[in-house]
Amino acid sequence: LRRTTPSFGMTSAQLYLLPRASHRDPRRPLFLRSHEPLMAFGLHHPIKEGGVPLRCFYPTNVREQLQQSAAAQLLNMVKVEPQNLGHKVSLPQYPFQDYKQDFGTITSEVFGFVLDVLREAAPGDRLTRQLAGVVQGEVELDY
């Protein structure tokens, strides 16, 4: 995966410098055809903490690998705190704030993405079960 220097308001998918595929290009089946929020979990940034681990991705199962990368970061960084009228869910700033166009700006969209990723990749984890019990209308997201 190659990327450019991000500028404010870009989605993670816009960061990729994907070559135009001619019909004869053998790599054509590997090119992205649509927006994929999981892409943000495939970008490695050399930051002290909170970044996605550096991984090697293979074309046969990129989606599964991105799902695993996302789940690993979420399981490591998402915190849930009960409050008087609901729950406070703390998410990592990267990628949720840095690429917020990828995940949506409505709390239910972001919360739904997190819960879907964890249900798919870590269904039996304590955090997944805890988030599944949270009522979406009573969630406050913190970055």
Side-chain angles (χ1 to χ4, degrees), residues 12 24 26 84 86-88 97 112 118 123 130 135:
S12 62
R24 291 174 292 202
N84 291 340
H87 292 81
K88 178 180 177 181
Q97 276 294 93
L118 292 176
Q130 187 178 17
V135 177

Side-chain angles (χ1 to χ4, degrees), residues 67 115-123 128:
Q67 189 94 14
L115 190 54
D116 289 347
V117 167
L118 292 176
R119 280 182 172 156
E120 179 78 22
T128 306

Side-chain angles (χ1 to χ4, degrees), residues 30 73 80 84 89 130:
L30 305 176
Q73 183 177 5
V80 180
N84 291 340
V89 178
Q130 187 178 17

Side-chain angles (χ1 to χ4, degrees), residues 100 103-114 116 136 141:
K100 61 185 168 189
F103 303 100
T105 54
I106 301 170
T107 298
S108 61
E109 291 175 340
V110 178
F111 183 78
F113 173 82
V114 170
D116 289 347
Q136 282 196 22
L141 295 181

Side-chain angles (χ1 to χ4, degrees), residues 75-89:
L75 289 171
N76 197 27
M77 301 199 67
V78 172
K79 306 289 184 249
V80 180
E81 301 171 32
Q83 294 189 331
N84 291 340
L85 299 173
H87 292 81
K88 178 180 177 181
V89 178

Side-chain angles (χ1 to χ4, degrees), residues 1 3 5 19 54-55 59 67 73 129 131:
L1 300 176
R3 62 182 273 294
T5 304
L54 182 60
R55 294 179 189 252
Q67 189 94 14
Q73 183 177 5
R129 291 191 314 267
L131 287 173

Side-chain angles (χ1 to χ4, degrees), residues 38 57 60-70 120-121:
L38 287 173
F57 291 91
T60 54
N61 61 348
V62 171
R63 179 151 176 59
E64 291 170 35
Q65 292 172 315
L66 288 171
Q67 189 94 14
Q68 291 169 354
S69 184
E120 179 78 22

